[in-house]
Amino acid sequence: MRASATTKYRPASSPALPRRHWPEKHLARAPIWMSTDLRDGNQALFEPMNPEKKMRFFAMLCAIGFKEIEIAFPAASDTDFSLTRSLIENRLVPDDVTLQVLTQARSDLITRTFAAIRGAKSVITHLYTATSPVFRKQVFRISKNELIRMTLAAVRQMKEEADKIPETQVTLEYSPEHFTTTELPFALEICDAVTEAWDTGADRPVILNLPATVEASTPNIYADQIEWMHTRIARRDSVILSLHTHNDRGTAIAAAELGLLAGGERVEGCLFGNGERTGNADLLTLALNLHTQGIDPELDFSDLPHIARLYEECTGLSIPPRHPYAGDLVFTAFSGSHQDAIKKGLGARASNDMSASAFWEVPYLPIDPADVGRGYDALIRVNSQSGKGGVAFLMEQAHGLVLPRRLQIEFSGVAQRYADATGGEITAETLWWLFEKNYLGDNNDRLRYREHALAESGEILTLSVEWAGYARVLSGTGNGPIDAAKAALSAFGLSARILSFEERAMTTGAESKARAVAFMEIGVDGQKGVHYGVGIDENIVTASIKALIGGVNRCLREKS
Ligand code: KIV
Ligand code: ZN
């Protein structure tokens, strides 16, 4: 692709800042959040939400903790007007929540907007006029002065309307739409004119919202623009500087974060980055980014799966599987080295290992999934890229079986070969099926356990087995039941060597009613290799004899 002057979007108005302060700052507190899901977000849907969905969404936003919610553009449609009325008349707005409504600078629209908010306790009336050269020249064909006159006429009308309803606390918000491509001195001039016309003061604050209506630059330029305004606007103490970024270049989050460093105090956006075109800044990501820095976001996403499902239901949109914090796969590792590191990190935390720090510090996991209501089940999934860590983690999490290290390596090879052959992911169920088939006996096994009886001394064992399909009762004497079972098998000319033996209890999982598991590494004279045998039973001796028989069978399967 060739770039040229005509492929270049109008550049953002880049201020000369001889000394910028924002790069040295750090975020220290949550901004004022303003959700525009029900306006900017809703107007960007194939099928806008019906009143019932809007109500459910509104209730969810209140439950998350939003104190300012832009619910509608009441003069633009009867649906938006009725929704506003219905929230107010049915007293559905919590006392600490302020509704926000949007209007253009037209007298009839302002009149209708104020009709919509009658009876509300507290409302932000949000006025916008497009200030950028392209809008002045191509869309409205008006001069800067005409635009200022039109904007101020609207502000004065809004002031008069607000004075008529003293029972409602009306705050003005003004947005110079396309702020980032507007000449900064002109943006400043119109913003100052607005605050003057509103008679802004300590008891009459104004929200100046500076939108990147279409994102046009790298986030540092947006931050420069915000700092330029922040350090120049009149009546600064009575102005709440608000940010409204869109995601056309994919950097809405970064722009909002740098804008906060540069003097922004409030952020408008939508959950999951919904909104016009590529969307608005994603408030969930912004909030949880603060959470990862140890800053209370003052929004509650502790039941994110519920929020995500309700969002999808109401908007008809789906959340991509890799969406920060919320996607189905964001806490999942497929790669072997990642799985291994996560398993070790979680293990260190669980055992209060000294290497686990006071911070949340688990490899590859930016936050504790539990903070957003996610379990650990999906953390590790197994496919052909996975290693022993993932296989071991799933066996432990889903089936309560802690595998010895060498068995992890052996069995992950089995799982990997299966994944390569089938080309897909291996679920916990499939993994168990593979384990059972490989280690817990198979119909083709030459030797099969039936039962055993132990003499009181514990040294003489009667062992009933099937050998090549025929029932046989054997007897063996040894130093304990396993030694005796080994001796019994010599009746078939089998001389087994036990190279390692571990027994443990199964912790969780469907198979845990059989409580004991025995792992034995076995070699058989005359057969190639050493193989693991695994036995599971309620009785540890039975589990051990089954492990012995399982290991012998696996040795016999190998060609000598
Ligand atoms: O993106 C934008 O500029 C807007 C304004 C109405 C604030 O949504
Ligand atoms: Zn917008």
Side-chain angles (χ1 to χ4, degrees):
M1 275 176 77
R2 205 175 279 168
S4 72
T6 54
T7 66
K8 187 171 166 187
Y9 193 74
R10 170 176 277 278
S13 175
S14 192
L17 279 185
R19 163 127 172 72
R20 45 183 66 69
H21 293 92
W22 63 262
E24 275 120 58
K25 302 251 171 82
H26 294 274
L27 295 177
R29 71 182 71 83
I32 301 168
W33 302 108
M34 204 295 289
S35 154
T36 183
D37 285 272
L38 298 172
R39 195 278 296 173
D40 217 333
N42 190 52
Q43 74 191 28
L45 298 177
F46 286 112
E47 201 182 316
M49 291 178 233
N50 62 25
E52 184 264 333
K53 285 183 175 161
K54 266 200 163 192
M55 289 292 190
R56 283 170 66 204
F57 208 113
F58 178 79
M60 174 178 79
L61 292 171
C62 294
I64 292 171
F66 286 99
K67 302 295 174 213
E68 296 184 2
I69 301 173
E70 191 166 57
I71 48 160
F73 195 154
S77 77
D78 286 345
T79 320
D80 276 19
F81 187 93
S82 320
L83 175 93
T84 313
R85 291 308 312 143
S86 147
L87 281 170
I88 296 168
E89 283 166 17
N90 296 314
R91 300 184 177 283
L92 297 174
V93 187
D95 272 353
D96 60 348
V97 170
T98 298
L99 297 181
Q100 179 164 313
V101 288
L102 183 73
T103 180
Q104 288 166 327
R106 263 178 40 197
S107 175
D108 55 332
L109 301 183
I110 292 170
T111 307
R112 187 144 171 86
T113 303
F114 274 82
I117 63 169
R118 232 180 309 111
K121 185 171 168 225
S122 160
V123 177
I124 298 165
T125 49
H126 180 186
L127 170 76
Y128 73 101
T129 50
T131 50
S132 67
V134 67
F135 270 74
R136 296 195 315 263
K137 288 181 199 152
Q138 292 175 16
V139 183
F140 300 127
R141 295 170 189 268
I142 53 173
S143 68
K144 287 180 179 170
N145 283 341
E146 283 169 319
L147 182 65
I148 291 180
R149 269 200 299 280
M150 183 180 98
T151 305
L152 294 189
V155 173
R156 287 190 197 103
Q157 184 186 348
M158 289 167 83
K159 189 162 175 272
E160 277 167 31
E161 295 281 3
D163 287 346
K164 287 185 216 157
I165 46 169
E167 69 283 5
T168 301
Q169 160 86 45
V170 178
T171 303
L172 174 72
E173 170 169 335
Y174 172 65
S175 294
E177 198 193 9
H178 298 276
F179 159 76
T180 49
T181 47
T182 299
E183 308 86 331
L184 282 174
F186 180 57
L188 181 64
E189 185 184 349
I190 198 163
C191 284
D192 283 349
V194 164
T195 56
E196 191 187 333
W198 184 254
D199 196 15
T200 302
D203 54 340
R204 286 175 68 79
V206 155
I207 299 166
L208 289 180
N209 183 51
L210 304 179
T213 305
V214 176
E215 189 172 50
S217 67
T218 48
N220 60 309
I221 303 281
Y222 185 65
D224 279 356
Q225 294 171 323
I226 298 300
E227 186 166 313
W228 192 90
M229 292 290 284
H230 163 58
T231 49
R232 283 168 180 74
I233 41 180
R235 302 167 195 246
R236 181 65 189 87
D237 290 347
S238 308
V239 168
I240 296 161
L241 203 57
S242 175
L243 312 173
H244 180 118
T245 58
H246 278 269
N247 201 35
D248 301 82
R249 296 168 52 93
T251 56
I253 297 281
E257 287 181 332
L258 299 192
L260 287 174
L261 297 179
E265 301 157 280
R266 180 178 186 268
V267 179
E268 298 193 347
C270 294
L271 293 183
F272 307 105
N274 186 26
E276 291 286 7
R277 304 178 309 281
T278 48
N280 293 59
D282 171 14
L283 297 184
L284 163 99
T285 301
L286 278 168
L288 290 175
N289 283 355
L290 288 178
H291 177 74
T292 66
Q293 307 304 299
I295 299 167
D296 179 359
E298 294 171 22
L299 293 178
D300 182 359
F301 290 109
S302 57
D303 193 358
L304 191 47
H306 168 74
I307 294 168
R309 296 298 80 82
L310 205 137
Y311 164 87
E312 290 186 327
E313 224 181 292
C314 291
T315 60
L317 299 174
S318 48
I319 296 166
R322 303 205 182 274
H323 190 100
Y325 305 109
D328 286 343
L329 293 182
V330 298
F331 298 118
T332 300
F334 285 103
S335 120
S337 61
H338 290 212
Q339 294 177 344
D340 200 46
I342 292 174
K343 184 174 178 303
K344 286 176 178 148
L346 289 176
R349 287 197 83 75
S351 62
N352 267 333
D353 184 327
M354 292 308 282
S355 64
S357 74
F359 297 110
W360 170 258
E361 219 175 9
V362 174
Y364 301 109
L365 292 180
I367 59 169
D368 184 347
D371 290 355
V372 288
R374 303 274 297 261
Y376 292 101
D377 322 356
L379 280 185
I380 291 180
R381 284 164 65 170
V382 174
N383 65 14
S384 60
Q385 304 301 304
S386 310
K388 66 178 177 9
V391 169
F393 184 87
L394 263 195
M395 288 301 283
E396 187 177 337
Q397 287 290 306
H399 305 299
L401 204 55
V402 181
L403 303 181
R405 201 180 130 69
R406 280 194 300 280
L407 180 54
Q408 289 178 17
I409 297 169
E410 187 183 301
F411 182 48
S412 70
V414 172
Q416 220 151 15
R417 281 191 294 281
Y418 181 83
D420 276 337
T422 55
E425 184 190 341
I426 303 184
T427 61
E429 289 69 38
T430 309
L431 201 62
W432 182 256
W433 172 77
L434 277 174
F435 187 79
E436 214 170 19
K437 190 164 128 62
N438 278 273
Y439 297 98
L440 300 181
D442 166 309
N443 286 341
N444 300 321
D445 284 344
R446 180 116 51 107
L447 182 62
R448 300 179 75 183
Y449 172 86
R450 295 181 82 183
E451 58 182 10
H452 76 273
L454 202 54
E456 246 173 56
S457 68
E459 288 169 1
I460 304 171
L461 179 107
T462 309
L463 180 62
S464 301
V465 295
E466 262 177 44
W467 174 250
Y470 294 97
R472 297 282 300 270
V473 179
L474 314 171
S475 167
T477 306
N479 186 16
I482 300 167
D483 206 34
K486 238 174 60 175
L489 294 181
S490 65
F492 303 128
L494 296 171
S495 171
R497 285 165 286 123
I498 299 174
L499 286 103
S500 74
F501 172 57
E502 286 180 45
E503 59 183 35
R504 44 184 80 131
M506 286 177 77
T507 49
T508 54
E511 303 76 17
S512 66
K513 55 183 181 309
R515 303 226 47 91
V517 56
F519 302 100
M520 245 178 234
E521 258 178 312
I522 304 223
V524 171
D525 288 354
Q527 300 295 130
K528 253 181 34 192
V530 170
H531 296 273
Y532 263 101
V534 182
I536 296 178
D537 201 276
E538 284 167 28
N539 178 298
I540 186 59
V541 173
T542 311
S544 305
I545 297 172
K546 283 180 175 176
L548 172 70
I549 290 178
V552 167
N553 275 319
R554 297 190 70 238
C555 291
L556 294 178
R557 270 187 232 152
E558 283 290 323
K559 296 264 177 301
S560 51

